[in-house]
Amino acid sequence: MPLTGRKVTILGAGIAGLAVATALARRGAEAVVLERSDAIREVGAGLQISPNGVAVLEALGLGPALAAHGVRARAVHLRDFRAGREVLRLDLSTGRGAYHFIHRADLIEMLAGAARAAGVQIRLLHDITGVTIADGRAQLTTAQGAQAMADLLIGADGLHSVVRGALNGMAAPDFTGQVAWRALVPATGPVAPVAQVFMGPGRHLVHYPLRGGELINIVAVEEREIWADEGWNHDDAPENLRRAFADFGAGVPELLARVDHVNLWGLFRHPVAARWHSGPAAILGDAAHPTLPFLAQGANMALEDAWVLAACLERHSDTETAFAAYQAERRPRTIRIVDMASKNARNYHLSSPPLRALAHTALRLGGALAPGGALKRFDWVYAHDVAARYPLTAAPMP
């Protein structure tokens, strides 16, 4: 197998880290994942996996698990905030591929299981606080001051990646003037497998079902000057969420009344990294291209990165050539997606009533005249199949 005997160290046991570790192990590499926590865990939150991400999960052998743990999405409904009148319906069952809603913890558990089955070692309580790249190797420094060397290092260590810092230096992100709440509530009855998006002045709220319709995932975004810390582990009072969306109708107040725990975080704009690799080290996922959540592509981009990075290392025996091919393939696409996600926020939050009415009327007319046209605009996102572009050439692991 092309990567047999290659020792690869991956920092971070999140979506990107576990996916790339599995993709590398499936190609014969000896992959080790270092995770700072004492267990592989994720806070409760929902994710949308679009066909481009589904293609990678299926290539990793996780298609049946995704079908079992996810909710197959039927549509996205864009609605006016006050009365809930439908502005546009995006039909997700038109043959372009499967869309799924899944609990983040379930996806992490699936990926961890696949990694272990492929022979990946996952080592907990390994907090890497420093990386130095020199003489063709990467030196890792732990929080306790211990040092270790890595022949090949993959940084899947998220927003504040030490590997990204070693490659690009540290840059302060810009606050977008937006904060987001996340909450999960039990469903009180049957829930349609659709994402409901309520668009209002300076705010929008999304909810969709998880775990077979047992839970409802809520994401609510508000524009404001007072910023909140980055990262979704910060608790907030549910009453603050209810107050911010008090003038929303169509069942939103009743849904928010059931929230008893909510997390709040500030949304920050990070530039896509200029350098994704140097010598024996490379980055992927949020370490390379953090994105705002308004296109639901963070997890999907991490999965795509993982597959392409492993494929490039399989196809090119020279590491520098492999990493250069990976960056050339992935960076332009992620820049475009990050930019599109930023634009979506503005489209959801039109504050001028006349402008909002005009925009919503245009969406309704467009949807009536060309029912599939709105979704077709995003074919470049959803129809992009990296597993087909970079098929596994090595024999798959049993």
Side-chain angles (χ1 to χ4, degrees):
M1 300 174 72
L3 291 178
T4 298
R6 294 291 301 273
K7 299 181 184 300
V8 186
T9 301
I10 297 111
L11 303 190
I15 294 169
L18 293 170
V20 76
T22 305
L24 287 166
R26 291 276 301 274
R27 291 165 168 83
E30 298 178 15
V32 176
V33 176
L34 305 183
E35 167 57 39
R36 69 179 61 183
S37 302
D38 60 352
I40 297 179
R41 63 169 67 92
E42 281 289 336
V43 296
L47 293 171
Q48 299 179 47
I49 304 298
S50 48
N52 50 313
V54 172
V56 176
L57 291 175
E58 290 179 341
L60 292 173
L62 290 172
L66 178 62
H69 294 287
V71 173
R72 177 75 179 263
R74 185 186 305 155
V76 176
H77 292 177
L78 303 182
R79 299 185 180 276
D80 180 72
F81 78 106
R82 198 179 299 280
R85 181 185 179 193
E86 186 172 291
V87 175
L88 182 66
R89 181 180 188 273
L90 303 176
D91 187 353
L92 303 182
S93 59
T94 56
R96 286 187 172 86
Y99 298 75
H100 291 266
F101 307 133
I102 190 168
H103 198 295
R104 180 182 289 268
D106 293 341
L107 179 59
I108 290 292
E109 184 177 352
M110 287 162 43
L111 288 167
R116 292 189 176 103
V120 175
Q121 297 183 49
I122 302 175
R123 298 177 181 172
L124 305 174
L125 292 173
H126 281 67
D127 186 6
I128 306 303
T129 57
V131 171
T132 302
I133 300 169
D135 300 325
R137 301 188 75 191
Q139 179 176 285
L140 313 181
T141 303
T142 71
Q144 295 77 29
Q147 293 185 337
M149 303 300 293
D151 294 330
L152 196 60
L153 177 67
I154 308 297
D157 45 344
L159 285 174
H160 307 293
S161 167
V162 294
V163 185
R164 174 175 173 141
L167 299 178
N168 295 272
M170 303 305 294
D174 297 323
F175 179 51
T176 62
Q178 299 166 329
V179 297
W181 288 271
R182 277 191 187 271
L184 288 171
V185 298
T188 57
V191 182
V194 302
Q196 306 280 2
V197 183
F198 295 86
M199 304 177 293
R203 292 157 297 159
H204 81 277
L205 182 144
V206 183
H207 67 78
Y208 52 83
L210 297 174
R211 289 183 173 166
E214 295 179 0
L215 297 174
I216 299 176
N217 185 69
I218 301 168
V219 180
V221 177
E222 178 190 38
E223 295 179 2
R224 72 184 196 190
E225 294 182 0
I226 302 173
W227 69 282
D229 288 336
E230 199 168 24
W232 56 55
N233 292 320
H234 310 294
D235 292 338
D236 194 33
E239 188 55 38
N240 292 335
L241 169 61
R242 288 190 275 268
R243 187 182 304 114
F245 291 84
D247 58 344
F248 276 48
V252 170
E254 292 79 6
L255 181 65
L256 297 185
R258 309 205 312 265
V259 174
D260 59 13
H261 180 265
V262 66
N263 296 109
L264 171 72
W265 81 100
L267 299 179
F268 288 75
R269 187 174 291 106
H270 297 253
V272 174
R275 298 179 64 194
W276 289 31
H277 66 94
S278 178
I283 52 177
L284 78 165
D286 282 349
H289 47 78
T291 182
L292 295 173
F294 306 125
L295 196 57
Q297 283 299 300
N300 295 291
M301 289 298 95
L303 292 168
E304 286 188 10
D305 286 352
W307 190 264
V308 174
L309 178 52
C312 287
L313 285 168
E314 177 187 32
R315 293 182 174 202
H316 302 282
S317 58
D318 176 69
T319 300
E320 188 72 22
T321 302
F323 284 163
Y326 157 67
Q327 176 172 324
E329 172 71 16
R330 298 298 302 154
R331 191 170 184 271
R333 175 168 167 80
T334 57
I335 288 174
R336 189 178 178 190
I337 285 175
V338 168
D339 182 61
M340 180 64 75
S342 298
K343 291 177 179 176
N344 267 5
R346 296 193 291 272
N347 295 335
Y348 287 162
H349 295 175
L350 297 173
S351 295
S352 165
L355 181 58
R356 187 168 62 253
L358 182 63
H360 289 187
T361 298
L363 285 172
R364 286 192 186 97
L365 288 174
L369 295 173
L375 191 60
K376 188 173 179 59
R377 289 178 49 235
F378 294 96
D379 276 354
W380 65 273
V381 177
Y382 304 136
H384 191 80
D385 186 344
V386 297
R389 290 165 61 91
Y390 294 91
L392 183 66
T393 58
M397 298 288 288

